[in-house]
């Protein structure tokens, strides 16, 4: 005999033993999730170290293409998301904020390093490289590229964490 239940907002027709098994599994998953330690400092440091690896592909793309690819900022997010999985970091709103801050910092750092390397390749003098980096046209281009990357990565991060938000709350079986 089947009865109708809702799981979150999804209607289901279940027998009583299936309902109990699903309810038990949901409770166990919720318990495991809540027991996972929320050490934000460790999570931040791990995510930062993992995301540092995103700078290398960004700089290489810039050097070989001689352009900043706005999509290169997604490298950081992909690495951060993979790292969250490797280190069992729960996808919470706080984790989303940390990922957003790290992406902004590392995207900016990677872009700056990319510009420094590219300019240095052309002038082969660090003092001249710094001097050229201060040029208004180069600064305008640099800031434009930074803004574009931050917008693209912000959109991607928003979409990604919106899709993960189902993990922030566990559905109830009613």
């Amino acid at each position: 005999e089947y009865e109708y239940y809702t799981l979150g907002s999804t209607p289901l027709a279940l027998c009583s033993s299936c309902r109990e098994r699903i309810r038990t599994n949901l409770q166990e998953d919720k318990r495991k999730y809540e027991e996972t330690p929320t050490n934000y400092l460790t999570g931040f440091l791990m995510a930062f170290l993992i995301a540092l690896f995103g700078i290398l592909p960004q700089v290489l793309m810039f050097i070989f293409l001689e352009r900043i690819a706005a999509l290169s900022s997604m490298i950081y997010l992909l690495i951060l998301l993979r790292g969250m999985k490797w280190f069992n970091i729960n996808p919470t709103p706080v984790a989303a904020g940390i990922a957003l801050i790290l992406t902004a910092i590392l995207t900016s750092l990677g872009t700056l390093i990319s510009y420094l390397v590219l300019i240095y390749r052309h002038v082969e003098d660090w003092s001249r490289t710094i001097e050229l980096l201060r040029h208004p046209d180069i600064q305008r281009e640099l800031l434009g590229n930074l803004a574009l990357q931050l917008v693209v990565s912000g959109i991607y991060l928003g979409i990604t964490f919106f899709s993960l938000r189902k993990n922030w709350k566990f559905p109830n079986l009613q």
Side-chain angles (χ1 to χ4, degrees):
E1 177 177 321
Y2 293 97
E3 293 184 40
Y4 290 95
Y5 300 94
T6 57
L7 179 61
S9 61
T10 306
L12 300 171
L14 300 170
C15 66
S16 58
S17 64
C18 292
R19 179 185 59 89
E20 283 308 311
R21 190 182 68 226
I22 290 172
R23 181 173 281 151
T24 302
N25 288 343
L26 285 172
Q27 289 171 345
E28 181 65 19
D29 288 346
K30 184 176 181 179
R31 184 189 61 74
K32 285 179 184 176
Y33 179 84
E34 290 172 349
E35 287 178 357
T36 302
T38 53
N39 187 339
Y40 295 118
L41 178 60
T42 301
F44 179 85
L45 292 174
M46 287 297 156
F48 184 79
L49 292 174
I50 290 167
L52 275 176
F53 291 107
I55 289 177
L56 181 62
Q58 182 185 9
V59 171
L60 291 175
M61 284 173 64
F62 187 72
I63 289 170
F64 291 117
L65 300 175
E66 294 196 1
R67 287 178 175 66
I68 287 287
L71 297 179
S72 68
S73 59
M74 284 195 232
I75 294 169
Y76 297 104
L77 294 173
L78 294 173
I79 291 171
L80 278 171
L81 292 172
R82 178 59 56 194
M84 288 175 71
K85 203 170 208 169
W86 286 338
F87 291 103
N88 198 27
I89 297 170
N90 290 331
T92 64
V94 173
I98 290 171
L100 181 62
I101 290 167
L102 283 174
T103 299
I105 291 169
L106 294 173
T107 297
S108 302
L109 181 61
T111 301
L112 181 60
I113 290 170
S114 297
Y115 269 82
L116 286 170
V117 169
L118 186 64
I119 293 170
Y120 181 80
R121 281 183 53 199
H122 290 289
V123 298
E124 296 183 1
D125 177 29
W126 282 111
S127 62
R128 180 78 176 124
T129 299
I130 300 300
E131 181 183 322
L132 284 171
L133 194 59
R134 292 183 182 149
H135 190 275
D137 290 339
I138 293 176
Q139 285 185 349
R140 198 172 14 263
E141 181 183 335
L142 175 64
L143 292 175
N145 277 318
L146 279 174
L148 181 60
Q149 283 186 311
L150 293 175
V151 167
V152 169
S153 61
I155 290 169
Y156 182 73
L157 181 71
I159 291 169
T160 301
F161 274 94
F162 182 77
S163 69
L164 291 174
R165 74 183 169 91
K166 65 180 183 232
N167 293 334
W168 298 348
K169 293 182 181 175
F170 282 86
N172 289 323
L173 182 66
Q174 300 173 349

